[in-house]
Amino acid sequence: MSHRARTFRTAAALFVSAAAVALAPLPAAQAASSVKVLHAAPHGSGSACTVGRPCSVEAARDAASSGDRVELADGTYQLTKTLTLGADASGVTWAAAPHAHPVLSGGRALTGWSENTDGTWTAKVPEGVTPRQLFVDGVRAVRARGGSCAAAVCDATKTGMTGAEKTGIAAWARPTDAEAVIRVRWRNYHCRIASVSGDLMTFAQPCWTNSSSGTDRTGPAWDTTTVDSSRYAKVSYFENARELLDTPGEFVWDSAARTITYLPRKGDDMRRAKAVTPATEGLLTLDGAHDVTLRGIGFAYAAYHQPSTDEGYAGMQAGLTLTGATGPVDHAGRYYTKPAAALTVRGGRNVTVTGADFTHLGGAGAIFEQGTQDSTLTRSRFTDLSSGAAYIGDTEPEPAADLAGARNTVSYNTIRRTGVEFTDAVGIWAGYEAGTVIDHNTLEDLPYSAISVGWGWNQPEAQQSVLRDNRVTNNRIDDVMRVAYDQHDGGAIYTQGAQPGTVISGNYINRSGYENTERDGNGVYLDEQSSHITVEHNVITRVGYKWVSNWADYGIQNTAIHNWTDTAAPALSGTGSVMTDNWTGLDELPAAALDVAHKTGAHPGKVEQLRENLATGGTATQSSTSGTATADLALDGDSSTTVAKTASEAGAWWQVDLGSVRHVGQVELWNAAGMPTADVDVQIADSADFSDATTVHITGKVQGPSLIDTDAEGRYVRVIRTGTGQVGLAEVRVHP
């Protein structure tokens, strides 16, 4: 995000002692004199757990001692409450039995479906269950939703919103079951309608207050991204109303009738389908346990209740929310709330989670918090989660020694399609942590940032904290900051705060905010007071804005060295920050870059080679020039800042002469930052008079980039404005 600091400190103040987090690891638990192997089964005995006799997981917990092993048989373990392992459960290994795939589940099956005359199907929901998600035969259904509502109609204020009559909400049978979903920059809001009066809607409290300006608990600059701010442009959609149920795969929850109604997809057979809704929040919690191993265990259908309450979801950043009607003024965000997770480790020491499978979750995957140290989350899979995959650490900048997170590792995990519902969530989040290692993970298809390390924005607390010596290395990140989700101001790898000794190295980033209209999908984003960070040997391609961004002058002494990228970027703005010996503006990745990229991620994966740019070395001209924004600036390899810009005459154009007739397969147009270049023709011709031109029209705003498939022959490529106004282009690339 971009808010200016009002408080500055010397560089020396940014270096803090690591003593607060350098606690010596606890010694490994001593094996019990008689090691047992206990066998748990989905329908095992709940009262007895003897060697060779299957028991419940609760009974196994109570019977196990340090050094014992609990083996889980194949099947689904239906949990109606959290399974908690306390300090007395230390030293125990919990593992899948050979060839077994045990799953801890918080789901409730919905049965007794009846067909309605309109083709929908309805089922009763058990008491005590408030369904927010529905999965039919393992496929996530979507809460019935409508289209967007522009701010001109749905005008949001600190007390509510207009638009109930114009949208038809005033006539809905149950508008108070519906929610408004709003996205403003990096923030995401979900608040339930509390009442409708004429054209006015009010919303559940404290959700709406916490989503609005003036709370004085998020910092004054954040008021520019609240629901009632100037940056608010629309309600992305209203959801969960029977009147919106019009697309196969959608469902609606009726709180009065206590029913779910579902419009089946093609192939769904609701007489036989397995329909499940997450109901139990938090499947497994380790509270003060140490030297525990969890191996090969699945986690599915865990719930996240808060968004369905009056608390709602007042998103701050990265999946954390502002909660409570009142609270202490703290602009550094100490009191923000993490999402509920299927697995939570609190105050753990030497905890290993490996080979786990997190899927179909209503909240997050795993949380390591409250002083968890020397623990590992590795070789696990996270797929189809409403929130983020992994949250490591907390938001307190100077915690007590026993609450400081240190030396935790997140490695060799595969993370896909997380943040499905709460689109501000990130794949892997680490707060005020020291010595965290995030290594060889694969992260794909995410709505916002992939990896986020640090906290505190421009507040003084972020200048002196326990943050230091973190490593983000060898990760494969592809297709993040996805345009369809309309979340902005993030990056594939995102940092905050002064963190001496932190290194971002050997990562392969491809497609971050690509084809974005707002030009803010960064590769490595050193935001706010990010300081003393080294960015080296990364391969960064196809980003919607800067390959590395360090925009704030109070983010100091960062270094970007020996990176490969297909674009250029301006010098780092941070005081004392430097860029040196980077390979930028590449049309092809060299062998050294390919070698780095191929070695990234949890498993070997494809590296998308760059395409030759025929415009390199071409001659650019334009119909007129605005100021010093000459035509050649669209061919300088910098798609982030330098701009070719015409005046505003009718038919304004920019073009490049390729020097000879070539096959033109695709053209990339990069809009200038802040320039609404829109409604243009892309013309390809053999002759300079364009009498034989092939023309492709772009309706609406040019993106970053707009990708135009042309499949034409020509020497000249022209971009001509068909509407009014300037042509402003940061970069044009022409591919064979």
Side-chain angles (χ1 to χ4, degrees), residues 45-66:
S45 169
S47 59
C49 194
T50 58
V51 175
R53 179 180 179 182
C55 60
S56 67
V57 288
E58 293 85 358
R61 172 198 58 197
D62 297 340
S65 300
S66 180

Side-chain angles (χ1 to χ4, degrees), residues 389-450:
Y391 287 80
I392 311 299
D394 294 289
T395 58
E396 170 56 54
E398 295 184 285
D402 62 338
L403 293 176
R407 301 177 301 278
N408 296 305
T409 297
V410 181
S411 63
Y412 289 92
N413 300 291
T414 301
I415 298 171
R416 294 189 176 100
R417 297 193 311 279
T418 61
V420 173
E421 184 175 358
F422 307 110
T423 53
D424 59 335
V426 302
I428 300 171
W429 179 87
Y432 285 108
E433 284 276 299
T436 296
V437 175
I438 302 174
D439 178 68
H440 274 100
N441 300 284
T442 296
L443 301 100
E444 299 174 334
D445 190 5
L446 307 180
Y448 184 54
S449 301

Side-chain angles (χ1 to χ4, degrees), residues 80-107:
T80 58
K81 62 180 181 180
T82 304
L83 177 65
T84 301
L85 307 180
D88 56 354
S90 297
V92 177
T93 294
W94 292 70
H99 311 296
H101 302 281
V103 177
L104 304 182
S105 172

Side-chain angles (χ1 to χ4, degrees), residues 4 218 327 335 427 630:
R4 293 287 179 182
T218 61
Y335 306 105
T630 56

Side-chain angles (χ1 to χ4, degrees), residues 1 100 176 222 286 353 409 476-477 479 505 539 568 612 627 696:
M1 306 125 249
T176 54
W222 280 40
L286 278 63
V353 181
T409 297
R476 174 183 294 265
I477 301 172
D479 205 11
S505 177
V539 180
E612 179 186 359
V696 179

Side-chain angles (χ1 to χ4, degrees), residues 132 143-144 161-181 190-204 235 237-244 252-257 308 310:
R132 188 173 183 89
R143 298 222 294 178
M161 182 186 295
T162 62
E165 292 178 336
K166 291 182 179 179
T167 59
I169 292 173
W172 288 355
R174 293 198 53 77
T176 54
D177 276 345
E179 291 179 7
V181 178
H190 298 245
C191 288
R192 183 178 56 81
I193 297 173
S195 65
V196 175
S197 178
D199 195 46
L200 299 176
M201 292 173 276
T202 60
F203 294 84
V235 176
Y237 48 85
F238 291 93
E239 66 176 14
N240 198 48
R242 182 66 177 82
E243 292 79 2
L244 300 175
V252 63
W253 153 245
D254 185 321
S255 64
S308 294
D310 288 349

